[in-house]
Every structure is written in C-alpha cells, then in structure tokens.
Amino acid sequence: MRTPLALLAAAVVAELLLRRCVRRFGGVTGDVFGGVAETAATAALVALTLGG
C-alpha cells in the first residue's frame, strides 16, 4: 500500500514544482527537468520511509 502512495506523492510534488517553474521562468529548461526528477525521487523516498 505504501508504493502507490509514494508514487502519488512524487507525482504531486513534481507537478507543483513544474507549474511553479513555468510561472516563474516562463518555460522549462533541462535544469528544471533535472530538479523535478530529483524532487520527485526525494518525495517518493520520504513517503516510503515515513509511510510506515
């Protein structure tokens, strides 16, 4: 049950960061995609760790 929640958390965090970058910078670059990937991975690992 933890894995689907971790995937959902990663997707939500990645989407929020991507939307913020598009608003802030007017688009995305490779650095933004890299940051989104790292943030999503971190969110998934935190959710798996704290999920119980």
Side-chain angles (χ1 to χ4, degrees):
M1 186 62 185
R2 290 186 309 178
T3 303
L5 293 176
L7 291 174
L8 180 63
V12 167
V13 169
E15 181 67 24
L16 290 174
L17 179 60
L18 187 60
R19 286 179 187 224
R20 173 146 173 85
C21 289
V22 167
R23 266 196 329 265
R24 173 99 184 197
F25 304 132
V28 293
T29 65
D31 288 338
V32 170
F33 284 129
V36 168
E38 293 296 324
T39 303
T42 302
L45 290 173
V46 169
L48 284 170
T49 301
L50 299 178

